[in-house]
Amino acid sequence: MNKKLYFGSNLKMYKSIKATIDYLQRLIENTKDISRDEIELFIIPSYTSLESATKNVDRNYVKLGAQNMCWEEEGQFTGEISPVMLDELGINLVMIGHSERRHVFGETDVEENLKVKAALNHNFTALLCIGETEDEKRYGISDEVLRTQLKVGLHGVALSQVGNIWIAYEPVWSIGVNGTPATADYAEKMHKVIKECLVEIFGEKALEIPVLYGGSVNPNNAKDLIVQPSIDGLFVGRAAWQAEKFDQLIREAKDTVDNQK
Ligand code: PEP
């Protein structure tokens, strides 16, 4: 059997509660026949949709995650959501350090590290997002930036927690309506840097950590990206927000991998 492929989407600040449930149910219906031993499917809706999502979708088919989380369990943190609160909902994963959190809301690597540790200590899968800006790429320091984001972001994480870490490589210049997708070659090169750094941090066990590519993934580039040896999955924004289109993208990507040899 080929390696397990990861496919997921962050719904950002889009979709009402009703639209989220409708989307999730259609996505499950469409993708049901694909064995979950072969793919891991996850969706990260808005906070306000999460509770309803946990009650209305079969988590054997789709894992649910939160878009952010405070590292404190409770306290004077107006507007924040704690790991204890997310635990009450019974969600599976927490996304940490998405490009928009870092660059629109000014989150730092040190804060992402606190969140990663809090998520892992509450037994969530921590999906740590990393990626260099356009300027950092231009200065030729992408490797250093990614290594810093990993070394600070994962600082103090125990080896026993490695099984609950996922990484998404999302170059800032590739994300969203003004983004340019990374070429498959460039993404593969950066994924290798990431995997090498993870092995430096955790040893060979780090090879279990899935590293997903995200940033303007679309039906045209998904196949080239997913066949790269160091790319374990695709983290898709806009191209995933219609269930039928995401299903099609997943199938085409998976078929390409299955027919590789
Ligand atoms: C994202 O914002 O994480 C993302 C991958 O978005 P898009 O695919 O729309 O570029």
Side-chain angles (χ1 to χ4, degrees):
M1 194 173 80
N2 287 311
K3 67 179 179 186
K4 191 172 198 177
L5 302 174
Y6 292 71
F7 296 97
S9 184
N10 158 27
L11 304 185
K12 305 196 184 187
M13 201 170 72
Y14 293 106
K15 292 194 192 291
S16 63
I17 298 174
K18 186 179 173 308
T20 302
I21 304 308
D22 185 50
Y23 168 76
L24 286 165
Q25 287 174 343
R26 288 159 82 114
L27 189 60
I28 290 175
E29 208 40 55
N30 278 289
T31 58
K32 226 179 186 157
D33 61 307
I34 309 174
S35 162
R36 269 29 181 192
D37 294 334
E38 296 179 24
I39 67 160
E40 185 80 74
L41 181 59
F42 64 97
I43 299 295
I44 308 183
S46 68
Y47 279 133
T48 50
S49 301
L50 266 179
E51 182 175 14
S52 189
T54 58
K55 291 184 176 144
N56 286 288
V57 306
D58 184 344
R59 241 91 59 71
N60 292 311
Y61 293 105
V62 63
K63 301 267 184 291
L64 293 172
Q67 296 181 10
N68 185 22
M69 187 193 76
C70 183
W71 56 85
E72 295 287 351
E73 297 197 344
E74 63 177 17
Q76 302 178 90
F77 301 99
T78 302
E80 293 291 312
I81 306 281
S82 89
V84 178
M85 293 166 178
L86 291 178
D87 210 10
E88 270 187 307
L89 296 181
I91 59 159
N92 309 96
L93 63 118
V94 180
M95 175 169 65
I96 293 158
H98 184 272
S99 163
E100 287 149 18
R101 296 303 318 167
R102 291 175 186 267
H103 298 287
V104 181
F105 297 100
E107 290 184 11
T108 64
D109 285 328
V110 173
E111 288 168 338
E112 310 313 2
N113 178 239
L114 291 170
K115 294 181 188 204
V116 165
K117 286 189 291 194
L120 293 172
N121 290 339
H122 284 84
N123 294 318
F124 296 116
T125 293
L127 170 59
L128 176 64
C129 302
I130 59 171
E132 80 283 9
T133 64
E134 193 161 20
D135 280 347
E136 289 161 343
K137 180 168 183 271
R138 190 164 47 83
Y139 288 128
I141 56 168
S142 302
D143 296 16
E144 288 87 337
V145 170
L146 298 179
R147 290 173 55 80
T148 302
Q149 291 175 341
L150 288 171
K151 290 217 163 175
V152 179
L154 298 173
H155 183 78
V157 169
L159 194 58
S160 59
Q161 295 177 312
V162 163
N164 281 338
I165 300 170
W166 296 356
I167 303 293
Y169 169 56
E170 300 202 292
V172 178
W173 45 269
S174 75
I175 293 180
V177 280
N178 298 318
T180 314
T183 62
D185 283 351
Y186 183 83
E188 169 63 14
K189 206 168 114 209
M190 293 301 119
H191 276 237
K192 275 204 186 119
V193 170
I194 292 166
K195 291 204 174 217
E196 276 165 23
C197 182
L198 290 171
V199 170
E200 244 175 71
I201 302 171
F202 296 113
E204 291 297 301
K205 194 160 168 55
L207 296 171
E208 290 173 15
I209 300 175
V211 184
L212 286 65
Y213 169 80
S216 296
V217 173
N218 62 49
N220 298 323
N221 61 18
K223 297 185 278 292
D224 281 350
L225 287 160
I226 197 69
V227 294
Q228 301 304 315
S230 309
I231 297 183
D232 303 306
L234 300 174
F235 193 28
V236 189
R238 290 155 296 154
W241 295 341
Q242 283 178 37
E244 290 70 23
K245 291 204 170 139
F246 196 23
D247 169 54
Q248 180 94 18
L249 187 150
I250 292 168
R251 273 174 207 282
E252 287 180 9
K254 185 175 176 319
D255 285 351
T256 311
V257 171
D258 290 346
N259 296 327
Q260 234 177 343
K261 295 203 180 104

